[in-house]
């Protein structure tokens, strides 16, 4: 491949960044992390106090209007959690599961503005929908305020106990990976993460009044903690060829940091960082999956789901005893043609890193039956 055909898609996400959804108190906490700051990002930095004041005010308004309902809300005891490392196909799976009308999911607006979406979502999404890019900055997945989104955005915005502090200090591996290991956090931060998860899911319950489908690659490290919150939760783990994940995550990291940083986008040694955190996610899942009650865990390979979403989704529903697949089938059928025409990013693989990923993640290859580098094709897609 040559020219534009060999360039992964990268576009701007607009002027809004992840941290614009924070309250002033959280922005103050953010600044205590001593993030990288640069004048070239003056627009994003300059907007923060205005968004902070707006979010703080609207949070108070929402608390007056909905505070009692949120406090009294009972989260459905059997939420569904989508697990899998970044770029493993979690978004595709989440989007397919969101077709089930019996379930609800956090939207892009709700994860960006978690403090006041109950009070502001209906009006603001109508007024500002034109501002949202038509697709995500790192790929061709559709984007709009109502698209299903990962709850980790909201957790980061609300409490900063999240790997999405990465763009703030992309050079600080310890800071942005510490939330992978919840039980090793200081007691205050551990309690903050648990309280924030419950609060956000209570707010979603008030908004949608349905059981929830939650997706965040970060949850792959947190099966034990999620079961502490919801012992009857159901889980779907999606895996993908490790080298495809590696290539696509390199692109994601560059885009995520570049679009959301307040300063330097410098991220040292991303290749080794991706391999290490990918392997840690796999090992955390393998370590804790036995804690999930029988019948509450299903697995799927991205390659199989992408090739035949109808059959794979039906299998997942059967294994988890979810029922109601006839309605999902009816909603999925008209979307299959669009799915076939979806254009994935193309990457020219680096032979050195292809071999390194295989050598260091060989247990993943063997666990899921992926071929060795000698049997791989010359290009990868994501």
């Amino acid at each position: 491949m040559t020219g534009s055909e060999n360039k992964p898609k990268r576009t701007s996400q607009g002027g809004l960044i992840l941290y614009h959804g924070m309250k002033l108190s959280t922005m103050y906490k953010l600044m205590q992390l001593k993030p990288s700051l640069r004048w070239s990002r003056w627009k994003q930095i300059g907007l923060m106090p205005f968004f902070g004041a707006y979010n703080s005010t609207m949070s108070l308004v929402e608390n007056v209007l909905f505070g009692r309902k949120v406090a009294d809300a009972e989260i459905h005891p059997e939420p569904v959690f989508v697990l899998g490392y970044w770029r493993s196909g979690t978004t595709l799976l989440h989007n397919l599961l969101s077709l089930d009308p019996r379930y609800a999911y956090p939207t892009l607006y709700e994860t960006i503005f978690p403090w006041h979406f109950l009070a502001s979502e209906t009006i603001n999404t109508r007024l500002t929908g034109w501002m949202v890019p038509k697709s995500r900055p790192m790929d061709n997945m559709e984007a709009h305020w109502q698209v299903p989104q990962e709850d980790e955005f909201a957790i980061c915005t609300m409490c900063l106990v999240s790997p999405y502090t990465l763009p703030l200090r992309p050079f600080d591996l310890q800071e942005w990976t510490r939330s992978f290991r919840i039980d090793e956090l200081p007691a205050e931060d551990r309690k903050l993460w648990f309280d924030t998860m419950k609060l956000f899911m209570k707010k979603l319950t008030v908004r949608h009044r349905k059981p929830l489908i939650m997706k965040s690659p970060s949850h792959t490290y947190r099966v034990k903690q999620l079961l502490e919150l919801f012992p009857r939760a159901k889980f779907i783990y999606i895996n993908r060829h490790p080298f495809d994940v590696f290539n696509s995550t390199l692109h994601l990291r560059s885009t995520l940091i570049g679009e959301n940083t307040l300063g330097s986008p410098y991220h040292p040694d991303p290749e080794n960082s991706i391999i290490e955190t990918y392997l840690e996610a796999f090992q955390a899942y393998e370590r804790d999956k036995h804690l999930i009650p029988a019948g509450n865990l299903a697995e799927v390979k991205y390659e199989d789901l992408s090739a035949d979403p109808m059959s794979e989704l039906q299998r997942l529903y059967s294994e988890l005893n979810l029922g109601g697949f006839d309605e999902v089938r009816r909603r999925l059928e008209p979307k299959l043609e669009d799915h076939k025409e979806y254009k994935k990013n193309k990457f020219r693989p680096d032979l050195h890193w292809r071999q390194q990923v295989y050598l260091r993640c060989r247990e993943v290859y063997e666990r899921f039956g992926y071929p060795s580098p000698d049997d791989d094709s010359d290009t990868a897609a994501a």
Side-chain angles (χ1 to χ4, degrees), residues 177-226:
T177 61
R178 70 189 188 99
S179 65
F180 294 161
R181 300 168 286 276
I182 296 295
D183 284 348
E184 297 179 14
L185 292 174
E188 181 180 359
D189 285 345
R190 186 177 188 276
K191 182 178 185 301
L192 182 59
W193 182 84
F194 274 96
D195 290 346
T196 303
M197 276 295 297
K198 286 187 289 186
L199 174 59
F200 184 58
M201 293 180 73
K202 276 175 171 275
K203 287 163 66 71
L204 291 173
T205 299
V206 171
R207 177 72 173 88
H208 300 286
R209 300 179 183 180
K210 296 178 180 180
L212 300 170
I213 299 174
M214 309 291 283
K215 184 269 284 193
S216 172
S218 310
H219 292 333
T220 312
Y221 303 85
R222 306 168 179 158
V223 170
K224 178 182 175 183
Q225 289 75 33
L226 294 174

Side-chain angles (χ1 to χ4, degrees), residues 159-177:
C159 73
L160 283 175
V161 183
S162 166
Y164 287 158
T165 59
L166 171 63
L168 298 173
R169 296 174 59 86
F171 47 83
D172 188 347
L173 181 67
Q174 184 176 0
E175 165 58 33
W176 66 265
T177 61

Side-chain angles (χ1 to χ4, degrees), residues 287-315:
R287 179 194 66 218
D288 293 338
K289 66 180 183 180
H290 75 279
L291 301 173
I292 302 173
N296 285 2
L297 171 64
E299 296 182 349
V300 63
K301 293 176 71 170
Y302 167 79
E303 293 81 3
D304 295 337
L305 184 66
S306 180
D308 191 353
M310 184 71 77
S311 295
E312 287 301 299
L313 201 60
Q314 184 173 12
R315 178 182 62 80

Side-chain angles (χ1 to χ4, degrees), residues 268-378:
D269 199 17
E271 294 88 356
N272 282 303
S273 170
I274 289 168
I275 294 173
E276 290 169 5
T277 54
Y278 171 74
L279 194 57
E280 182 180 354
F282 168 76
Q283 291 173 343
Y285 168 72
E286 290 292 304
R287 179 194 66 218
D288 293 338
K289 66 180 183 180
H290 75 279
L291 301 173
I292 302 173
N296 285 2
L297 171 64
E299 296 182 349
V300 63
K301 293 176 71 170
Y302 167 79
E303 293 81 3
D304 295 337
L305 184 66
S306 180
D308 191 353
M310 184 71 77
S311 295
E312 287 301 299
L313 201 60
Q314 184 173 12
R315 178 182 62 80
L316 294 174
Y317 265 65
S318 176
E319 291 185 12
L320 294 173
N321 196 28
L322 294 177
F325 187 75
D326 287 344
E327 179 61 20
V328 177
R329 181 195 303 277
R330 187 184 69 81
R331 291 171 177 247
L332 176 56
E333 283 177 343
K335 298 179 180 293
L336 291 178
E337 193 60 37
D338 290 339
H339 172 75
K340 292 179 182 178
E341 296 178 358
Y342 176 77
K343 295 182 179 180
K344 302 176 183 178
N345 285 330
K346 299 290 184 179
F347 302 93
R348 177 70 66 181
D350 183 303
L351 298 182
H352 167 75
W353 286 110
R354 182 167 69 174
Q355 188 68 20
Q356 283 296 305
V357 171
Y358 176 70
L359 290 175
R360 293 163 65 179
C361 302
R362 190 165 183 170
E363 60 187 297
V364 184
Y365 282 76
E366 294 176 352
R367 163 78 163 81
F368 296 110
Y370 289 113
S372 68
D374 294 338
D375 298 325
D376 279 347
S377 61
D378 292 333

